[in-house]
Amino acid sequence: NKQAAAAQEIGTMFKQAERSIAELDAAKDALAKLDKNKIVELKTFNNPHESIVLVLEAVMVLFGQKTDW
């Protein structure tokens, strides 16, 4: 039945949204733990590892900034 399928789809989307919110909250908590010295240290990397670039781009997205630095 269409109503049951729609209800199931809404339930699935709700669970995905809950997981996304939990992940976002965890990212915000981790971000809050950064201190100025760590950020200054990151700025000294002339050619950072691609994983560092990926994480920093994600942080820039969270702050609504450009990622083409």
Side-chain angles (χ1 to χ4, degrees), residues 12-26:
T12 300
M13 291 181 349
F14 184 77
K15 287 178 185 176
Q16 290 173 341
E18 284 181 322
R19 283 193 299 268
S20 296
I21 290 169
E23 290 174 9
L24 179 60
D25 288 341

Side-chain angles (χ1 to χ4, degrees), residues 4-49:
Q8 185 175 6
E9 185 175 346
I10 290 170
T12 300
M13 291 181 349
F14 184 77
K15 287 178 185 176
Q16 290 173 341
E18 284 181 322
R19 283 193 299 268
S20 296
I21 290 169
E23 290 174 9
L24 179 60
D25 288 341
K28 287 180 180 179
D29 290 343
L31 187 60
K33 293 177 184 176
L34 283 178
D35 62 13
K36 185 176 180 177
N37 293 332
K38 297 293 182 187
I39 295 171
V40 169
E41 180 182 351
L42 286 173
K43 288 181 178 181
T44 65
F45 295 160
N46 291 330
N47 190 14
H49 189 270

